[in-house]
Amino acid sequence: MSDHQNSKEKPDASEGSQNPYIQNGQSPHPPHIPDELLNMVGASPPKFVTFEQLMSAADDMKNMTLAHEIAVNNDFELPKEQAPQNSLEKQVTETVKRAFWDAFQEKIERDPPDYSMVYSLLEELKEVLVGILLPQQQRMKDQILEVLDMDLIRQQIEQGAFDFDYYGSYVADVMGRLCAPARDDKIAEIRTIKEVVPKFKTIMETLQLMQRDMANFTIKQIRPYIQQNSIEYERKKFASFLEAQRAVSIDGLQYTKVWLKRNFENLQSNSQMQPNEAGASANPVFTPANIMTEAYLEVLEWPDPKNFPETLMMDQFRFMSMRDRLHTLALISAAQLLTYSVVGPAVDGVEDLKVKLKKHVEVLLQDVAGKGIGPVLESIAAQVVKDVNDSLTSRSLPNLTVESQEALQGQIKDLANRTNTVRKLMVNRLMGFMREGMSGKKMTSLRVPKGCSAIQQDLAQVFGNFLRLTSHNRSVFGEYYAGIIERLMKGKTEELSPREYGTQESSTSDQEKPPPSNHL
């Protein structure tokens, strides 16, 4: 294990409540991050940029983030916009909507009726209906424009010949032809409403849902195209972002450099250690590819969301979720290992018990965020003893002795300490599995770590997601990583110039450049 990793395994009496990995309710400040980097100021005089340039850079990052999300998350879709319950925003929104429909009702009940809001509403309905049509639906578009002819509607209103039912029914029919099956019940409800205001209110609410449905449908249709082009797109947008940062004397890769430099030095130090008894070093070979592998693996033990590498920021939540999931799996396998070690031959080979223990421990660990790891492990210890005794009873074997129960519960409770030997052992085994998989071996040739058969599928899922994410990341930012590592290997640790850590300024065409991942 690297020095950086060892620094995170300090003894602690208790552990925090956010996840099994973080102790004392908060993440420790990483001692390996120099303080001067936290408030780095460029050495060159500040440059001035326009507001438009800054906004353009911000828009580029938003577009880049959206494209990245669509490319790497097959389940991504636009959520329903809804303010938190009882929030001021929700109260204001509901008040404004209620005021609008109250005003609508009041106007059409006047004598003579005031249909000004009716005209505006139908005009908006027409624009929305046309907006959600697909390009090939030209015939339906022409029909909508013909029926919702705003000049004709204005004349009907002025002459008192406007027919609410006709237009309301027509709009509902068009929506019925366009909407997803999930909205059929809503369309049926619209058709049954006779009152003008409730009918048009429900129409507008349903159209908002249909707009989101169509946007999500479009995302699914263009996802393959985005996935094919997202790497090059993200490269260009990130290059623009770095340029905007340099314009105000900010190094947009400062934490990325710290991250790679730390893993460069750790791997360099470990590769110089004495070989083992077999005559071969147990540490990875000191190569650019292995530096990147160790850097990515470090993310799975990242102690603090602060100081995260800029090139990983778009996936910070995913990486942290994988980290927490991996350490949860380590706790599950540690609890099982202790159980089978303490109980002994009476439960060896009992697969039903192994499955039950995994299920119960995993469910109880979900309460860590609210209760903290200590209380949760107390519950786990009691549940494990119950599951073991139930298994023994079902096979007509005597229950655990009081001494064995106390020993098992005590050892499981001690897993709250990150320095616990069994917990560290299982974390190291899982990290070893991830490292071996990152080396390029096929999943079919990877061996599940000893004592981890119950979590085999979960571990494979974590590894698969991690490999996909790091492969995409390396394809996008490999040019920058290669430039930084190349200078580190040449002993040049001073500040890198833009051209030296990779930009889009090269005159070589993209087709002539080798893939960035080939450098690593």
Side-chain angles (χ1 to χ4, degrees), residues 411-425:
Q411 292 189 46
I412 290 177
K413 291 176 185 178
D414 193 52
L415 292 175
N417 192 334
R418 284 205 310 264
T419 60
N420 176 274
T421 303
V422 177
R423 179 173 174 177
K424 287 179 63 177
L425 172 66

Side-chain angles (χ1 to χ4, degrees), residues 194-207:
K194 301 303 180 182
E195 298 82 1
V196 174
V197 174
K199 191 180 193 75
F200 278 87
K201 180 181 178 182
T202 308
I203 285 174
M204 293 302 295
E205 291 172 348
T206 307
L207 274 176

